[in-house]
Amino acid sequence: MSQGTVTLESRELSKTYYSTDPPTEVLLGIDLSVRAGEFLVIMGASGSGKSTLLYSISGMDKPTSGNVTLEGRELTSLSDAEMSNVRLTRMGFVFQQPHFLRNLDVRDNILLPALKGAAKGKDKDAAIARVDALMERFGISHIKDHGITQVSGGQLQRASICRALAGEPSVLFADEPTGALNSSMSDEVMDALTDVHRDGTTIVMVTHDPGVAARGDRVIYLRDGALVDANEMGPWQPDTAQQREDDLLTWLRELGF
Amino acid sequence: MRSTTVKNGERLYLRYAYNDLSRNKGVNAALIVILILSAFLMATGSMVIERLAGSISRLSEQGKPPDFLQMHLGDYDRAALERFAADHESEIAAWLVEEMLGFDSASLTWERPSTGENGDLAASRIDNLFVTQNAEFDFLVDWTGGVVRPAAGEVYVPVLYEQQYGLTAGDVLTISTDAGPHRLEVRGSVKDAQMAASLSPSSRFLIHPEDFEALARAGGAVPEIIAEYRLTAGSDANAIQTAYEGAGGLPTNGQPVTGQQLRIISMISDGLVAFALVFISLVLVAIALLNLRFVISGSLEDEVHEIGAMKAIGIPDRAISALYLTKYSILALVACVVGGLLAVVAANALTQSIETSYAQAPVGIWTFLVPLIALAAVYVIVVAICRGVLGRVKKIEVVNALVHGSTLDEKQTARRAKREARWVRRTGLASSSGAGVNRRLALLDLRAEGRAWVLVPVVFGLTAVLITLPANLVSTFESPQFVTYLGAPERDLRADVQFQQGVDDVKDRLVAAMADDDRLTDVQTYAYVDYSADSADGRARLRVEVGNHVDGAIRFSQGGLPQDGQIALSILNAEKYQVGVGDDLTIDDGDESITVQVSGIYQDLTAGGQTAKMPGEVTEGASAYTVFADLADDGADPAGIADEYGEQFPTAGVKPTQEYARETLGVLIDSMRGAAWIALVFGLGVAVLITSLFLKLRLTRDRPKMGVLSAIGFSANEIVGQVRTKTLLVVAAGTVVGLVFAATAGQSLASAALAAAQLGITDLTFIPNPWLVYVLYPLLLLGAGHLGVALLTAGIRRADKSQWL
């Protein structure tokens, strides 16, 4: 899909949790368009619905109403198996906690979606070579045989990015990817994500950290389940980083952040 | 002040327990169901055993059965009996000779004048003995325990016939005698302390002495007697039996029985289901305890942050444990109360037939204490195990709990990390592909988390033992090969010419007829010759089966077939005469003494387990004979041929060998089949319940993992498939181990139980029904596991996967 065209779109997206009394309306009819190759950041106070929005547009959760399309394909009407296949082949995920399988070493954890994809027809050897290359690129090939309890949080999160990229997704979803890391590890991870974005991968990221959000091309702001404003910031450059962060903070303060 | 604090503390515990119970309804419901089942079966089993023992004792008090009796067919010397009684005056409190008239079931018919209904008792396999009421003891009593004395023309039928044929007061019982029909009016039923057991081969009809005389004169009956003895307090029935058998000249042409044997046979035949219930409940208690351990460990891990916080603010370990213990104490208490109440209903239903056959057991302190003690034992064991598992609270470190959310200390955490690192080093996921990824993941999970899954195979192993053990016993007892445990060869037809006058003549004519019959081959005769020998209690009678004994027909536990100059003894006889293989035994047939060497010891259920075998041929003068024959045509119907011979030789007792086994063990097999069904139903129910409970907890803990898998493209079906693969693998492993255990150790356990019952079998080899035990039951268990997976994974497809992360 060419740069600039809308790749992911939600219309009238609502989500209500009926397990609470009274039911909690978390998303109130969100209209959102994500352009191909864009790095979109979702911000908002705790409980504003930003993670729910991320999981609803990525098909992890089913919205209560509204619809989501990815590359022109309606996601909300897909079956569980079809949606799983979309996640496998078109999406990648990075979570706040790395969420790796304890029974696999780092490399096998990264390989898992690639192997799963290979089962769906992609070439397995190519997938393995791609994973090895990704680990090399993100500086974690030396820990490939390690158990996940034997490596640092930053290494794990970079491994998480490798796993998300293993299936060559068109969109990478990241939910507070630096939320559990210290500042130096946080920078490692954001450098990695910025690298991925430069390669042309679309990124949708949730964060509450303005420093991290400054990496994005565009920041949208959610309040009580509604999209209240958006800030087009353009491509990130290392030399303007501080300026972007200050501008973003000013904008956020105006929104009551 | 202190008591107020304690009260507040107790209220807090109760409130916590209540909140926990209402929050985790599914898990707690499954736990309490298992606990209720355990308590229910334990209480029911113990109540039935107590009631049965009480009923037998009650009837024993009312009917005053003999402490030792000797059945006899044929003439006898009354003076010899009087001499024996005089010689043993200090041991014998009272004695009598009961005269009986035995009529074949086919000669008894009944009609109901009020409705015109009628029928016969031909289907009954029990010997029908007509007697008059005794004067001093061995009374036949009515349902109130009163001694019944029928008027002339009246008959009281055995309770069994009242139950089976509905014979009731006002019916007319007609006995076909040689002189024509003899009609008696049924006045009611009588309970018989001596012949009440379901396993008893005979039953007594009570009539007036005038009718007895008339029936005796009319002919058509086989007259028998029982010499019966009531002993003085402290006297040993076995010693009297030995003295009786060694005295000489006394009537011995029949089965000797002691009061203790009567009691054991009653407990075995009517108490088997109750014993099975207790066995099932023990297995269930074990399963419940394993479950509790698993659930409590899981709760501690899930709530480690809260426990850490409580410790951090200074709440003592005991108080934290008490929070959890309160809930499990409440569950155990409720289970015991509900199980106990249900048991009252079930025990009432189960003891109804016992009370009909025996007597209404008096309600005493033990009636309440026995089930209460059983329930208290369940409660105490459950609470003790919970307390033990909750001891782990003490070991939880505050920092590890709060910061790392771990119940482990640093050393344990390091050990675990090392262990996990070892596990993952060679996972080799890259070498698998396709659908293999799912299977591979499931196997890796199992390999790494085997300890967490161990509950399921253990429970299925126990369940497999629980359901296959009684099934194996039933199939073994029903198997055609089982006759070898009855000391008999595996032949088609069997004729018993015994306990009657003119046995030689009947036997000769029967053997001649069989030998001339083209349909039969290989006619063989075994003679029973009475000897006496020195036993542990003195001189005793030893009935020896003389004939051409062949290999494979007898279940030797030691040694082998007797050759010339040798004898083989049943296990109980080897004990009685205190000899082993290779020992010499001197036996005396009244004319001369010979010394024979014991060649082997074998298992035998017949004749009270007391038999012996010697080679040779005895054609006349024996007490009894058994004739065996095979069918020339394997497809022929042995029952038809047996019936023909039965008509021609009515006193020869010709039967297909299988029917002989069925008659000997029919009631026992029926009881065991009941126990097997109960075990199957409860076993499968528990298997589904445990699988569901385990998966409920396991899936809750595996949510993050399932969330990751879902995020990276595994569909709900694939995730459910992994759960199914893991579950079915552990179910299959547990089932296989259980089946192997049942076939090996279970066989030894069953043998030990039979040996303890002193029936004459000490070494049982199961003859399982392979389709049932090795195909159907494993499939049922796999089905139970599958059902558990289906029930618990139904929610996975509907769930919002992000909630799992």
Side-chain angles (χ1 to χ4, degrees):
Chain A
M1 191 160 279
S2 63
Q3 293 272 327
T5 56
V6 171
T7 184
L8 178 68
E9 195 170 24
S10 77
R11 286 281 165 263
E12 290 294 318
L13 195 68
S14 296
K15 178 78 178 174
T16 304
Y17 288 113
Y18 291 97
S19 54
T20 56
D21 187 18
T24 311
E25 293 181 315
V26 185
L27 296 179
L28 305 167
I30 303 276
D31 290 332
L32 177 68
S33 299
V34 183
R35 296 183 295 270
E38 185 181 21
F39 190 154
L40 176 77
V41 178
I42 306 170
M43 292 196 76
S46 292
S48 58
K50 50 190 189 297
S51 289
T52 306
L53 175 62
L54 183 92
Y55 290 121
S56 294
I57 59 177
S58 64
M60 284 283 278
D61 289 355
K62 280 208 179 300
T64 309
S65 63
N67 58 54
V68 178
T69 51
L70 173 70
E71 296 165 345
R73 192 177 185 192
E74 165 74 54
L75 298 186
T76 36
S77 61
L78 295 182
S79 70
D80 179 73
E82 288 167 332
M83 191 60 235
S84 297
N85 196 34
V86 169
R87 280 202 294 276
L88 178 72
T89 54
R90 310 306 301 150
M91 297 175 178
F93 286 87
V94 178
F95 309 102
Q96 181 173 2
Q97 301 294 336
H99 288 311
F100 278 111
L101 304 185
R102 298 173 73 96
N103 307 328
L104 301 179
D105 63 17
V106 173
R107 183 171 179 257
D108 274 348
N109 262 295
I110 298 171
L111 257 177
L112 196 54
L115 288 178
K116 182 78 174 49
K120 300 276 181 186
K122 288 193 183 177
D123 178 35
K124 192 174 96 179
D125 292 336
I128 293 172
R130 192 169 59 251
V131 163
D132 286 343
L134 279 168
M135 292 181 78
E136 188 71 41
R137 174 180 170 190
F138 291 106
I140 53 169
S141 52
H142 63 290
I143 57 159
K144 63 180 181 183
D145 295 333
H146 285 46
I148 59 159
T149 49
Q150 294 176 301
V151 296
S152 74
Q155 287 172 323
L156 268 189
Q157 206 57 308
R158 276 183 282 155
S160 201
I161 293 168
C162 290
R163 180 177 65 186
L165 296 175
E168 297 182 305
S170 59
V171 186
L172 188 152
F173 295 95
D175 184 12
E176 302 272 15
T178 60
L181 302 176
N182 62 27
S183 59
S184 72
M185 285 184 187
S186 186
D187 286 343
E188 279 177 27
V189 170
M190 285 317 298
D191 287 345
L193 279 180
T194 307
D195 241 22
V196 172
H197 173 232
R198 279 207 192 99
D199 289 350
T201 307
T202 308
I203 297 179
V204 180
M205 180 179 77
V206 165
T207 185
H208 64 273
D209 182 343
V212 169
R215 301 274 185 146
D217 298 335
R218 179 165 59 121
V219 180
I220 59 169
Y221 191 82
L222 248 60
R223 185 188 296 135
D224 297 333
L227 208 165
V228 291
D229 202 0
N231 187 349
E232 286 281 0
M233 301 194 298
W236 182 81
Q237 295 298 331
D239 47 353
T240 59
Q242 191 55 51
Q243 184 59 46
R244 285 168 70 94
E245 192 176 336
D246 293 344
D247 291 349
L248 189 61
L249 263 174
T250 309
W251 176 71
L252 287 170
R253 282 199 191 102
E254 284 169 8
L255 290 168
F257 183 72
Chain B
M1 181 69 191
R2 183 176 152 71
S3 77
T4 313
T5 314
V6 170
K7 268 187 190 164
N8 284 338
E10 282 171 0
R11 268 208 297 275
L12 177 75
Y13 295 155
L14 287 174
R15 212 164 45 239
Y16 181 88
Y18 174 79
N19 288 339
D20 187 278
L21 287 171
S22 49
R23 202 171 62 233
N24 301 313
K25 285 195 190 79
V27 170
N28 290 320
L31 268 181
I32 203 160
V33 166
I34 295 166
L35 287 171
I36 286 174
L37 282 179
S38 311
F40 164 67
L41 291 178
M42 181 67 91
T44 307
S46 59
M47 274 162 132
V48 171
I49 291 170
E50 189 277 336
R51 294 278 80 193
L52 175 61
S55 290
I56 294 172
S57 293
R58 184 80 180 142
L59 181 58
S60 197
E61 284 163 23
Q62 294 168 345
K64 296 184 172 51
D67 296 314
F68 166 66
L69 63 91
Q70 170 70 54
M71 296 180 155
H72 177 79
L73 200 141
D75 295 335
Y76 67 98
D77 179 1
R78 189 168 176 95
L81 284 168
E82 282 168 1
R83 275 197 305 279
F84 177 76
D87 290 346
H88 294 87
E89 205 178 3
S90 60
E91 296 147 281
I92 297 171
W95 71 282
L96 59 83
V97 174
E98 175 164 71
E99 296 192 342
M100 307 184 294
L101 296 171
F103 280 94
D104 191 61
S105 295
S107 60
L108 302 177
T109 55
W110 62 270
E111 60 192 289
R112 186 159 300 148
S114 56
T115 61
E117 288 173 86
N118 59 63
D120 61 43
L121 308 183
S124 169
R125 290 172 178 157
I126 290 175
D127 291 343
N128 307 293
L129 306 167
F130 284 77
V131 299
T132 57
Q133 187 61 278
N134 290 313
E136 283 188 78
F137 65 94
D138 191 19
F139 302 121
L140 298 177
V141 297
D142 61 17
W143 64 274
T144 63
V147 176
V148 179
R149 298 189 191 283
E154 292 177 354
V155 62
Y156 284 81
V157 298
V159 170
L160 181 77
Y161 283 124
E162 185 187 46
Q163 289 172 301
Q164 283 184 353
Y165 297 93
L167 292 184
T168 181
D171 292 350
V172 173
L173 183 76
T174 304
I175 306 145
S176 301
T177 70
D178 290 350
H182 187 99
R183 291 161 63 86
L184 295 167
E185 187 194 339
V186 177
R187 289 285 291 166
S189 62
V190 279
K191 299 182 182 193
D192 185 339
Q194 192 191 125
M195 301 180 184
S198 315
L199 273 173
S200 176
S202 42
S203 61
R204 292 189 285 188
F205 290 73
L206 188 63
I207 52 175
H208 188 269
E210 275 180 24
D211 290 308
F212 189 88
E213 291 301 322
L215 282 172
R217 277 197 309 273
V222 179
E224 290 180 48
I225 63 151
I226 310 180
E228 303 183 359
Y229 296 89
R230 289 281 283 186
L231 303 184
T232 52
S235 297
D236 178 13
N238 290 323
I240 282 291
Q241 181 182 353
T242 307
Y244 185 97
E245 289 172 350
L250 296 176
T252 56
N253 190 21
Q255 187 72 35
V257 186
T258 64
Q260 183 64 17
Q261 284 171 330
L262 285 176
R263 212 177 155 80
I264 287 177
I265 211 80
S266 297
M267 283 305 280
I268 288 174
S269 55
D270 295 290
L272 192 80
V273 171
F275 286 111
L277 289 181
V278 172
F279 169 68
I280 297 169
S281 82
L282 287 176
V283 175
L284 280 187
V285 168
I287 289 174
L289 293 179
L290 281 170
N291 244 307
L292 280 167
R293 215 182 110 78
F294 173 75
V295 171
I296 295 173
S297 298
S299 304
L300 293 185
E301 282 175 32
D302 291 344
E303 294 172 25
V304 67
H305 285 109
E306 290 85 336
I307 294 170
M310 283 190 275
K311 284 188 148 202
I313 60 172
I315 296 177
D317 293 337
R318 284 187 63 169
I320 298 171
S321 298
L323 273 181
Y324 292 91
L325 193 60
T326 307
K327 182 185 98 173
Y328 296 108
S329 304
I330 291 173
L331 283 182
L333 189 68
V334 169
C336 285
V337 170
V338 175
L341 291 175
L342 290 174
V344 173
V345 180
N348 270 341
L350 283 170
T351 50
Q352 248 166 21
S353 71
I354 291 174
E355 288 187 350
T356 313
S357 302
Y358 297 91
Q360 188 153 20
V363 175
I365 181 89
W366 290 106
T367 312
F368 302 100
L369 273 185
V370 167
L372 281 179
I373 290 171
L375 289 171
V378 171
Y379 176 81
V380 168
I381 292 170
V382 167
V383 172
I385 293 288
C386 291
R387 198 184 286 275
V389 181
L390 284 168
R392 280 177 52 190
V393 166
K394 233 187 252 176
K395 293 179 184 153
I396 293 176
E397 292 180 354
V398 176
V399 176
N400 278 320
L402 285 176
V403 179
H404 306 298
S406 168
T407 57
L408 308 176
D409 59 27
E410 274 179 34
K411 272 187 191 166
Q412 289 170 318
T413 309
R415 270 206 302 274
R416 183 177 170 175
K418 263 189 191 164
R419 199 172 57 234
E420 284 179 356
R422 270 202 309 275
W423 278 125
V424 301
R425 203 151 289 155
R426 286 180 189 275
T427 50
L429 203 57
S431 61
S432 72
S433 63
V437 174
N438 283 302
R439 214 166 28 235
R440 195 71 181 246
L441 278 179
L443 288 174
L444 285 172
D445 263 2
L446 271 189
R447 209 178 67 175
E449 300 167 4
R451 281 168 68 178
W453 281 80
V454 81
L455 174 77
V456 178
V458 169
V459 168
F460 274 81
L462 285 172
T463 309
V465 172
L466 185 69
I467 64 176
T468 53
L469 215 51
N472 276 345
L473 278 171
V474 171
S475 64
T476 303
F477 280 27
E478 278 184 330
S479 164
Q481 297 159 39
F482 190 74
V483 289
T484 54
Y485 285 101
L486 302 175
E490 208 179 320
R491 305 286 297 277
D492 293 333
L493 279 187
R494 173 191 177 111
D496 288 290
V497 187
Q498 58 182 344
F499 305 146
Q500 59 184 288
Q501 289 162 303
V503 284
D504 286 336
D505 175 47
V506 176
K507 181 264 299 177
D508 288 342
R509 284 191 292 118
L510 176 70
V511 170
M514 283 182 158
D516 284 346
D517 193 333
D518 291 342
R519 297 169 302 173
L520 299 178
T521 63
D522 205 9
V523 179
Q524 270 185 332
T525 308
Y526 296 88
Y528 293 89
V529 182
D530 288 339
Y531 291 89
S532 63
D534 283 329
S535 76
D537 299 316
R539 202 81 187 150
R541 188 191 64 149
L542 175 64
R543 175 163 282 191
V544 181
E545 186 187 356
V546 181
N548 177 26
H549 301 291
V550 290
D551 206 16
I554 305 163
R555 291 269 171 172
F556 281 99
S557 55
Q558 290 173 55
L561 287 172
Q563 307 300 325
D564 283 343
Q566 290 185 324
I567 189 168
L569 294 175
S570 67
I571 286 167
L572 295 186
N573 260 342
E575 280 173 21
K576 183 175 174 181
Y577 294 98
Q578 296 183 302
V579 286
V581 174
D583 290 350
D584 284 341
L585 180 69
T586 303
I587 55 175
D588 189 333
D589 67 356
D591 294 330
E592 59 170 343
S593 283
I594 53 168
T595 299
V596 286
Q597 190 191 40
V598 178
S599 69
I601 294 171
Y602 58 88
Q603 309 187 64
D604 193 352
L605 271 173
T606 51
Q610 298 186 343
T611 62
K613 294 177 197 290
M614 287 202 313
E617 192 181 1
V618 174
T619 51
E620 59 180 348
S623 308
Y625 296 90
T626 306
V627 182
F628 289 102
D630 278 334
L631 298 179
D633 173 11
D634 283 341
D637 173 27
I641 298 174
D643 285 349
E644 273 180 41
Y645 277 92
E647 276 172 31
Q648 204 179 338
F649 301 95
T651 57
V654 188
K655 286 168 190 158
T657 310
Q658 290 314 313
E659 193 182 318
Y660 169 76
R662 220 169 23 244
E663 282 182 17
T664 311
L665 296 162
V667 177
L668 203 61
I669 291 172
D670 286 346
S671 292
M672 277 195 298
R673 192 177 288 115
W677 272 109
I678 293 172
L680 182 66
V681 170
F682 277 89
L684 289 178
V686 165
V688 174
L689 205 60
I690 298 286
T691 315
S692 308
L693 180 139
F694 172 82
L695 287 176
K696 165 85 185 155
L697 295 170
R698 194 68 232 165
L699 292 179
T700 306
R701 317 197 75 210
D702 278 352
R703 276 179 178 178
K705 186 191 292 174
M706 294 193 299
V708 174
L709 290 176
S710 177
I712 62 179
F714 284 82
S715 68
N717 275 341
E718 287 174 310
I719 295 171
V720 169
Q722 288 180 21
V723 175
R724 191 184 304 118
T725 303
K726 285 187 274 191
T727 310
L728 294 186
L729 273 176
V730 288
V731 164
T735 304
V736 168
V737 171
L739 290 177
V740 171
F741 183 88
T744 53
Q747 185 170 283
S748 307
L749 282 176
S751 296
L754 284 169
Q758 288 279 302
L759 291 174
I761 294 184
T762 57
D763 186 13
L764 185 73
T765 304
F766 281 152
I767 308 164
N769 176 347
W771 285 105
L772 190 72
V773 175
Y774 298 119
V775 179
L776 182 63
Y777 280 5
L779 284 177
L780 284 175
L781 285 171
L782 281 174
H786 203 283
L787 182 61
V789 174
L791 290 174
L792 265 293
T793 53
I796 285 182
R797 292 182 178 84
R798 293 190 301 270
D800 275 343
K801 276 74 176 177
S802 76
Q803 303 296 310
W804 296 344
L805 291 164

